[in-house]
Amino acid sequence: QVQLVESGGGLVQPGGSLRLSCAASGNLFRIETMAWYRQAPGKQRDLVARITSGDKTNYADFVEGRFTIARDSAKNTVFLEMNSLKAEDTAVYYCYALITKRTSGPLYSYWGQGTQVAVSS
């Protein structure tokens, strides 16, 4: 019912930058939270950054001030600007959205398909 469409992944050299985007569409009323997670081979899926409808943000410790999450409410889109990328940032990055489909309705979780970020020389 709800689709999360991601873009912006790719190959970048260490120290470089990437901007990821994720647009939500479909049967949704309100997006409560959008977030980015990442998962490297052999590792668990970890939260990278999160932003609420009130623009409250949270970042994982490994971000170390290098990333910024932002949203465009009118377009139901979230962005992740990644700077000073390291090889250890290499992972599949997943968009996440927590939404309601009606006023005072229950919460639903949705995931994007994932986009590959490779940091390598």
Side-chain angles (χ1 to χ4, degrees):
Q1 291 182 315
V2 174
Q3 295 176 302
L4 304 180
V5 180
E6 301 161 324
S7 63
L11 175 65
V12 65
Q13 292 187 341
S17 299
L18 283 174
R19 287 182 176 86
L20 307 182
S21 66
C22 173
S25 62
N27 183 24
L28 65 90
F29 173 74
R30 176 182 173 90
I31 301 176
E32 300 296 332
T33 300
M34 296 190 81
W36 290 96
Y37 288 73
R38 73 184 190 187
Q39 187 169 24
K43 296 186 177 180
Q44 67 181 11
R45 186 174 297 186
D46 293 323
L47 176 69
V48 179
R50 179 178 62 199
I51 187 167
T52 71
S53 60
D55 285 332
K56 177 185 176 182
T57 59
N58 296 98
Y59 297 92
D61 287 342
F62 59 71
V63 167
E64 299 174 332
R66 300 174 298 128
F67 301 171
T68 301
I69 189 169
R71 66 182 179 90
D72 183 339
S73 297
K75 296 182 178 181
N76 291 328
T77 300
V78 66
F79 305 92
L80 184 67
E81 180 181 344
M82 302 187 291
N83 302 308
S84 301
L85 284 162
K86 307 174 181 179
E88 50 263 45
D89 294 318
T90 296
V92 177
Y93 283 69
Y94 296 91
C95 181
Y96 168 90
L98 184 66
I99 66 101
T100 57
K101 298 182 179 181
R102 57 179 173 86
T103 302
S104 301
L107 296 167
Y108 297 86
S109 296
Y110 290 92
W111 292 92
Q113 78 285 356
T115 184
Q116 178 69 242
V117 172
V119 185
S120 176
S121 59

